[in-house]
Every structure is written in structure tokens, then in C-alpha cells.
Amino acid sequence: MKSITIEGPRRFTGRLRVPGDKSISHRALMIAALGRRPCLIRGLSDGDDVAHTRRAVEALGARVEVHGTGGVTVAGGLSGAPAPIYLGNSGTGIRLMAGLVAGRDFTTTLDGDASVRRRPMDRVINPLTAMGALVRGSGESGTSAPLTVEGRPLRGIKYTLPVASAQVKGAVLLAALGADGPTTVHEPVTTRAHTEEMLAAAGVRVERGDGAVTVWPGEVDPPDFDVPGDPSQAAFWLVGACVAEGSDLTVENVYVGPARGGFIEVLRRMGADITVDSESGDIRACSSDLKATRIAAEELPGCIDEVPVLAVAAAAADGITTFEGIDELRVKESDRVAAIVEMVVGVGAGCQVDGHRLVVTGVGQAHELGSGTFDSHGDHRMAMAAVIAGAAGSGSVTVGGFEATTTSYPDFANDFAQSTGWTP
Ligand code: S3P
């Protein structure tokens, strides 16, 4: 296991670019794999999760080649994979893939690492089964990975998401392409809209409105995709710049579309000096005195992946910040509720669970955060959040299991060095 140590306090300055958006990258590869004509994808995430999805579509029969001008060309066509497909640490990869193959005339086995095998899969098994797919899970409950998906002719359904999940919505909408009629997904709380946006861009009939999205079956004609920078990765640098004194940092070319910028709203409410150029996708953040806020349950899906680093902002802020409706965080790459408590308490702020809420008592100024030792629990976002906590505070923070960052951000340590002057 690799660990790194950060001596704070540090300033975050300069301009940087983050990897291509992970959610868009997975979907670009999958939608391209359904197309008839070769499709060019530029700016794919270079993390392990997306590499697994790339290998998965190749195993299913698509051809993916590195393109001379940067990016990859995907020639679609799915004919089935002879061996189980391994999606690594990626919950998004395995759940979307289950929907992609559910209506095909072959059988697919989908698996992942120990973390993926612990995560709930009934949330995709149930709607896909309602569409007529045959999906068998594993484990005691029969609802864990590995999943065996026997392709079947599917029927269109109307489905209301029991949990706010773009992965589940995406799986159902991808399966809908092979159904006998339209499929409607109702979402009580809006989640990221990449699947429906990208299917519409690929010529699929999609209708949206009133908290629902309907997809009609049909051919997919993917355009070339330019993947913008990942806001969830940008969030680490932007929070760092907001909390650490003397900072002024810009992240360039970030996705600024719907349902992903919730963390910016939260930071603004906390008093952050943060500006978004919606034309270029450049986001600038400068040091700010942060005060506590309340993140309501309806707001959480819009910043679900940013909660670990928002907890660092809350730990530095003045007052008591509450994150409501936190249950989904327990079934992410790690139990993030437990991991956040450990991280925040470890650097000297207060953090406790109160029913479905996480309550963080801030120290008032980032430099009052102290030393600690923290394990990532194999979770990329926890490793990166802990580095930001270490950089903001005045102590020495050691982050074990740092290699987890390759899941989504292999160059994280380099970008950290570039923006803070840190040397390993
Ligand atoms: C994602 C949806 C979210 C998010 C994940 C990516 C997606 O998961 O946490 O990192 O690309 O659809 P849930 O659907 O479980 O909320």
C-alpha cells in the first residue's frame, strides 16, 4: 500500500485541467459501442474505472483504437463476451453495463472487485427483471455481483426510482433501447442527466419533463464525443483553494451542465469566492472565510460524490454543517459516512452521525486543522479529500492506500504538486 504525507498549510494556485468526466466517459464508450459508424471520443477519463469499461465494450465485440489526433475511435457492434467481464472498482460501470446487455441475444457475466461485490445490485436487478430480463445475482441475498445477465426480448416499463440514482436510471434507459415500446423513468429527485442527453445526441427519441424521462427503442447513431473535465475531480482543487489562505486557482474546461454543480452552490452558501465561466467551463476559486450550512436531503444527489471534500470545507468552516439524507453514502466505494467521520475527527474537527444526518463542527479556519493518519479504505475520493484536509491544516497528514486515486485520477499527486508546490 502506498502512503503519502502532506505538511500543511499550503496554498492552491495556478491553472489546471482535470481528467475527462468519468460519468460521461463510461456512457460515451457504451453508446459508441452500440453505433454502426465509427465514433471518435476525445478527452476520456484516464482512470482505471473507464479503462475497465473500455475493455468491457471490447470484450463484447466493439473495436476501440487510439486515434492519431488524440482520443479513441470506437467501431460498434456487440456480439457477446465469452468470459466474465471485470469492471474493477466501478459501480457505474457494472450497473450501466447490466442495462446495456439486458436486451441482447447473448449471456454476459459482470463482476468487479471486493468493493463492487459488497454494493447493492438489486437496484438494477429489479427494474431490468420487470422489463423481462433474466439477471441472476450472487451472494447470500442473490443481489450482489457477479451478475449473470441472460439477454431476453424486453418490454417497455414505467419505473419510479426508489433511490435517487443516475446509475439505475442509466441502466434502465440503456436497456430501453432494445424494448418493444417506450420506457419511462420517474425520478423523485433529479440526478445527473448524461444518459438521456447523450442518447438524444445519438438520435434516439428521448422526452423529458415533470421529473420523468422517456426513451423509445431504436437505432443509435452516436456523434463524436468531446468529454469535458470532471467537476467531481475539480471539486478537490476548488475546495482546497476556498479553505487554504492565500489561494487563487482556476480549473479549466469543466462540465458545467445540469445536476453536477451542487457542490458549487453549497460552497457559495458557505461564503466561498467561486466564479464559473459557463462558456469555457473554467471555474475559479479564491481563499474565503467559510461559514457552516445545511445540505438538505433533496440537495444531496446533486453533490453526492463531493460530500467527502465538502466535509473538509465544513471541518474548516465556522459553525455546524449538516448533511441530510446520507444513507446512500454508506454504499459507495467505501462506507463514506464512517470514513468521513474518521477523516474529519482525525484532523481535529467534530463529526458525528445523527440518524440520517452527518453533523460536522468546524474549527473556524483551515489552519486550525491538525495532524492525522488516515486510510483511504480503497476509496479514491476519500484519499483525495484527506490530502486536501492535510494541505489546508497546519499539521502533517499521512494518507494510506493512496493508490486508490488511480480509479479516477492517476495524475492527482502531480496536479497536487503543481498547484501547491508539494514535493513527495
Ligand atoms: C454516477 C452516479 C452516482 C455517482 C457515481 C456516478 C453515474 O451514483 O455517485 O459516482 O455516472 O451515473 P448513484 O447512481 O449510485 O447515485
Side-chain angles (χ1 to χ4, degrees):
M1 280 231 306
K2 187 173 166 193
S3 67
I4 69 166
T5 299
I6 299 107
E7 311 282 346
R10 318 197 72 88
R11 300 183 302 133
F12 290 80
T13 56
R15 303 178 72 85
L16 53 86
R17 283 188 174 230
V18 290
D21 185 76
K22 188 155 75 68
S23 294
I24 297 177
S25 294
H26 286 298
R27 288 162 173 85
L29 284 164
M30 292 187 200
I31 293 171
L34 294 172
R36 292 215 164 149
R37 87 186 165 86
C39 154
L40 173 65
I41 309 174
R42 284 195 209 86
L44 274 182
S45 159
D46 58 353
D48 295 343
D49 275 7
V50 169
H52 284 298
T53 290
R54 174 186 165 169
R55 284 197 284 275
V57 298
E58 286 180 302
L60 286 165
R63 275 179 299 117
V64 184
E65 278 165 22
V66 175
H67 197 269
T69 59
V72 296
T73 307
V74 182
L78 302 186
S79 50
I85 292 179
Y86 180 72
L87 280 312
N89 191 237
S90 181
T92 308
I94 193 166
R95 292 185 178 127
L96 291 181
M97 196 58 75
L100 188 81
V101 297
R104 313 272 142 191
D105 57 358
F106 49 75
T107 297
T108 313
T109 300
L110 303 169
D111 202 0
D113 67 6
S115 153
V116 159
R117 283 183 172 203
R118 280 194 298 272
R119 297 178 70 178
M121 293 298 148
D122 47 341
R123 54 183 62 192
V124 285
I125 294 174
N126 294 341
L128 295 177
T129 303
M131 296 177 84
L134 198 72
V135 189
R136 276 191 307 277
S138 310
E140 266 171 39
S141 58
T143 57
S144 305
L147 302 175
T148 301
V149 188
E150 271 181 44
R152 288 276 189 277
L154 302 181
R155 52 184 172 270
I157 58 167
K158 287 189 178 6
Y159 189 69
T160 300
L161 294 179
V163 285
S165 168
Q167 293 176 358
V168 177
K169 175 175 64 172
V172 174
L173 297 182
L174 289 173
L177 296 171
D180 61 358
T183 292
T184 301
V185 177
H186 289 270
E187 32 179 13
V189 180
T190 308
T191 63
R192 62 194 73 194
H194 306 305
T195 311
E196 49 270 42
E197 281 177 354
M198 294 171 74
L199 285 177
V204 173
R205 183 172 166 203
V206 176
E207 274 179 21
R208 300 162 69 185
D210 267 351
V213 48
T214 302
V215 163
W216 275 258
E219 294 293 308
V220 176
D221 182 18
D224 292 342
F225 290 112
D226 270 311
V227 183
D230 194 327
S232 302
Q233 314 294 21
F236 295 103
W237 311 123
L238 297 169
V239 168
C242 288
V243 298
E245 270 169 44
S247 297
D248 180 352
L249 172 133
T250 300
V251 186
E252 297 174 347
N253 186 39
V254 180
Y255 176 82
V256 290
R260 295 294 298 279
F263 74 96
I264 296 173
E265 295 312 312
V266 171
L267 287 170
R268 284 207 177 117
R269 251 187 358 246
M270 295 177 85
D273 176 0
I274 182 161
T275 42
V276 178
D277 180 336
S278 48
E279 287 290 302
S280 63
D282 293 356
I283 308 180
R284 178 179 179 189
C286 301
S287 308
S288 318
D289 285 329
L290 297 186
K291 58 183 190 309
T293 189
R294 165 183 169 244
I295 296 109
E298 313 81 71
E299 215 183 334
L300 211 70
C303 58
I304 189 79
D305 291 338
E306 293 73 62
V307 174
V309 78
L310 285 175
V312 174
D318 184 20
I320 297 176
T321 295
T322 51
F323 296 87
E324 299 181 354
I326 55 168
D327 296 341
E328 271 299 296
L329 292 167
R330 294 196 183 277
V331 290
K332 290 294 180 187
E333 287 82 329
S334 67
D335 175 349
R336 286 192 180 151
V337 173
I340 289 170
V341 173
E342 193 184 317
M343 173 184 71
V344 171
V345 171
V347 291
C351 190
Q352 60 197 41
V353 180
D354 170 26
H356 303 287
R357 301 189 312 159
L358 189 68
V359 182
V360 179
T361 307
V363 290
Q365 293 286 336
H367 65 252
E368 290 171 34
L369 296 172
S371 302
T373 299
F374 176 75
D375 182 75
S376 72
H377 301 280
D379 185 335
H380 55 136
R381 298 198 201 283
M382 289 312 310
M384 295 187 279
V387 167
I388 301 304
S394 299
S396 164
V397 169
T398 298
V399 183
F402 182 75
E403 68 281 359
T405 52
T406 64
T407 293
S408 63
Y409 202 157
D411 268 341
F412 181 81
N414 290 338
D415 286 351
F416 180 61
Q418 189 196 312
S419 55
T420 65
W422 172 77
T423 45

